[in-house]
Amino acid sequence: QRRAELAGPSPGPGPGASPSSQEEREGLIEFYSSYQELFQFFCSNTTIHGAIRLVCSKKNKMKTAFWSVLFFLTFGLMYWQFGILYREYFSYPVNLNLNLNSDRLTFPAVTLCTLNPYRYSAIRKQLDKLDEITHQTLLDLYDYNMSLPQRDWPTSSSQRRSSRSLLHHIQRHPLRRQKRDNLVNLPENSPSVDKNDWKIGFVLCNENNDCFHQAYSSGVDAVREWYSFHYINILAQVPDAKALDESDFENFIYACRFNEATCDKANYTHFHHPLYGNCYTFNDNSSSVWTSSMPGINNGLSLVVRTEQNDFIPLLSTVTGARVMVHDQNEPAFMDDGGFNVRPGIETSISMRKEITERLGGSYSDCTEDGTFSTLCASQVCIRSCFQLNMVERCGCAYYFYPLPRRAEYCDYTKHKAWGYCYYKLLAEFKADVLGCFHKCRKPCKMTEYQLSAGYSRWPSAVSEDWVFYMLSQQNKYNITSKRNGVAKVNIFFKEWNYKTNGESPAFTVVTLLSQLGNQWSLWFGSSVLSVMELAELVLDFIAITFILGFRWFRSRQKLPAAVPPMNSQDNAAFQDEAPALRAPHRFTVEAVVTTLPSYNSLEPRGPSRDGEEGHE
């Protein structure tokens, strides 16, 4: 051991101190001096499989390269699998759970409509001019002479003015024929053009005289749609159209029984539909809700309804029978969407199966579960409200068949001349989802649906029709000539006691994700959570070393000597005067301690010898 000391001897170590404790002291926090040292320590001590091969095979460059490529390739494959797992997790998949439940079933609401908006005798004055124009139009287009009832009321001056106004607007929207697209260039009297080669429709124009032809392939559909268009305008002009409504429950429903008990007025509510007429809803929320504990036709709702057509509007009510819809108590009756017609002279037996659907909200679907109006009334109310609001905004008025928004009025071509053009253009955009109503209106997370199946039979039978019609005539004043076409029977009941519940549950939870990630980590590296912590420690140490080395480099840049300024002659003379003093030798003392190594000729240690030399210059 050699030791150099300036200006004298160095004191020896204390009696209780070891050389290693003086040479090195361990700090509380220590970092590696280089990236190589950090990487070598990690590979030598980590529990990740394969990392040690990067160090122990460093003398063989081929093995080191092979294990390096294999190690990082394995890392890449593992994180590729991680990406697949994360993508599956954030797609929020669900499992469908199917349950069969047996319990007392809540009977749904049932709505029946007469299929006739108003009695023809009650609204005939308002429709008289429209019927005359329609009669002439059918005569011109199809050579059909439609019979009209005789007018039995005097014509006033106000009615004449109203008729002239109606005639003016009908002439602006005439019903006419048009050639099909492939026959446009042929003349009308061409022998190649047949009656079936024409499309029929009516013309609609806006304020700028931009017109289009609303055409139909069926003449029946075209006449009915054209008549309905003018019928809407007439109803909008009537100050109180609801006064024309005549609700007569006993004249429409002859018999009503539920669970073998007679129904009364407390079991139904009434509303009027401008197209389907008087409607009656049984078992809604206005009274105590019916429950059914047994399936079968005798434990449901049984109705006998009147289906005569002696006072129907001939050009508007083209269907005979009654309209029926089965729906939930919290869902309004949309007769256009979910209803079906009951045939006269037929007993219709409708069996039901209840089905409840419960969806997951939030990130799993766009359903709503906040109890808003759109939730309680499903999405149909929301969709219609969306269309009606767009109608009011773009056309300046509301469509008559939909609920009237606040501070709006129904469309009437005496006030809104181009509303028909605007309506049919908007309807085309609505069906093509240009308005976005089908995306704005979210479905409820919980829905109750009823799967229906129907059976039909003749009612009453040939051997029993005499006494059945006699009893109806005595009790309900049933005096229709064509008796079989004037009455129908409807039975609605549960097919079975069980009902199905379709539920959803998360298919990929956080626990599942962690489990799958752990499986992949163990597959590729055979390690655990603590191995992940070792990787985290490696990253933190790498950042710390980078910061320390950067800080040292920055300090070393600050300690560099400043640039020496150029010396003039005076500075050079002063420097030459001081040079001899700088070249004067300094005196220093060197003390050397030499320990003689043992002789290789003898195993006996030799005593220490001390040779010292002192030199003075």
Side-chain angles (χ1 to χ4, degrees), residues 8 14 38 60 71 83 100 231 260 287 293 295 342 392 395 484 568 584 606:
L38 170 65
N60 191 329
F71 189 81
L100 290 178
Y231 162 78
E260 302 297 331
S287 60
S293 57
V342 176
V392 173
C395 304
R484 180 164 298 281
N568 51 25
R606 299 179 60 181

Side-chain angles (χ1 to χ4, degrees), residues 254 465-480 483 487:
Y254 287 161
E465 61 181 2
D466 292 336
W467 75 266
V468 170
F469 288 136
Y470 177 79
M471 294 297 296
L472 290 176
S473 63
Q474 294 295 318
Q475 183 177 358
N476 303 98
K477 299 179 181 180
Y478 182 75
N479 53 3
I480 302 175
K483 295 181 178 180
V487 69

Side-chain angles (χ1 to χ4, degrees), residues 403-428:
L404 183 66
R406 293 181 180 179
R407 296 184 297 276
E409 58 181 356
Y410 284 122
C411 292
D412 172 16
Y413 46 40
T414 60
K415 300 178 181 178
H416 316 90
K417 294 183 180 181
W419 82 264
Y421 176 91
C422 180
Y423 166 74
Y424 284 101
K425 287 289 188 181
L426 190 67
L427 184 62

Side-chain angles (χ1 to χ4, degrees), residues 420-439:
Y421 176 91
C422 180
Y423 166 74
Y424 284 101
K425 287 289 188 181
L426 190 67
L427 184 62
E429 295 180 7
F430 171 76
K431 292 180 179 179
D433 199 23
V434 177
L435 304 180
C437 294
F438 298 100
H439 293 88

Side-chain angles (χ1 to χ4, degrees), residues 353-592:
R353 289 192 63 181
K354 184 178 180 180
E355 186 172 332
I356 300 176
T357 302
E358 297 179 351
R359 300 182 180 88
L360 291 175
S363 302
Y364 293 93
S365 68
D366 60 347
C367 68
T368 176
E369 53 187 4
D370 55 358
T372 58
F373 181 74
S374 60
T375 303
L376 298 177
C377 301
S379 58
Q380 294 300 325
V381 171
C382 177
I383 292 174
R384 282 167 170 76
S385 300
C386 176
F387 176 81
Q388 188 76 299
L389 293 176
N390 281 276
M391 182 79 182
V392 173
E393 180 180 354
R394 292 176 54 174
C395 304
C397 58
Y399 186 54
Y400 191 81
F401 286 169
Y402 291 167
L404 183 66
R406 293 181 180 179
R407 296 184 297 276
E409 58 181 356
Y410 284 122
C411 292
D412 172 16
Y413 46 40
T414 60
K415 300 178 181 178
H416 316 90
K417 294 183 180 181
W419 82 264
Y421 176 91
C422 180
Y423 166 74
Y424 284 101
K425 287 289 188 181
L426 190 67
L427 184 62
E429 295 180 7
F430 171 76
K431 292 180 179 179
D433 199 23
V434 177
L435 304 180
C437 294
F438 298 100
H439 293 88
K440 295 177 183 177
C441 299
R442 299 182 297 167
K443 294 182 178 180
C445 293
K446 185 175 181 180
M447 294 180 61
T448 301
E449 298 175 318
Y450 297 92
Q451 306 297 329
L452 308 179
S453 58
Y456 305 95
S457 60
R458 180 179 175 179
W459 187 88
S461 62
V463 297
S464 63
E465 61 181 2
D466 292 336
W467 75 266
V468 170
F469 288 136
Y470 177 79
M471 294 297 296
L472 290 176
S473 63
Q474 294 295 318
Q475 183 177 358
N476 303 98
K477 299 179 181 180
Y478 182 75
N479 53 3
I480 302 175
T481 304
S482 181
K483 295 181 178 180
R484 180 164 298 281
N485 293 329
V487 69
K489 189 175 182 180
V490 183
N491 300 312
I492 303 173
F493 56 92
F494 280 110
K495 183 178 181 179
E496 56 187 28
W497 197 25
N498 299 327
Y499 66 95
K500 184 169 65 172
T501 302
N502 300 319
E504 292 181 348
S505 61
F508 215 77
T509 61
V510 177
V511 176
T512 308
L513 176 63
L514 293 177
S515 176
Q516 294 292 334
L517 293 177
N519 291 339
Q520 292 296 326
W521 185 268
S522 299
L523 171 66
W524 296 103
F525 288 102
S527 50
S528 63
V529 177
L530 296 180
S531 303
V532 179
M533 300 304 298
E534 292 176 3
L535 277 178
E537 182 185 22
L538 174 65
V539 173
L540 293 177
D541 289 344
F542 182 86
I543 296 173
I545 291 178
T546 303
F547 177 76
I548 292 174
L549 294 180
F551 180 74
R552 287 179 178 177
W553 177 83
F554 180 74
R555 290 292 300 272
S556 63
R557 295 282 295 179
Q558 287 184 340
K559 291 182 178 180
L560 289 176
V564 180
M567 295 181 294
N568 51 25
S569 58
Q570 296 178 357
D571 295 335
N572 191 16
F575 178 76
Q576 291 177 357
D577 295 338
E578 295 177 358
L582 293 176
R583 287 195 297 266
H586 289 271
R587 301 174 64 86
F588 60 91
T589 301
V590 175
E591 179 183 358

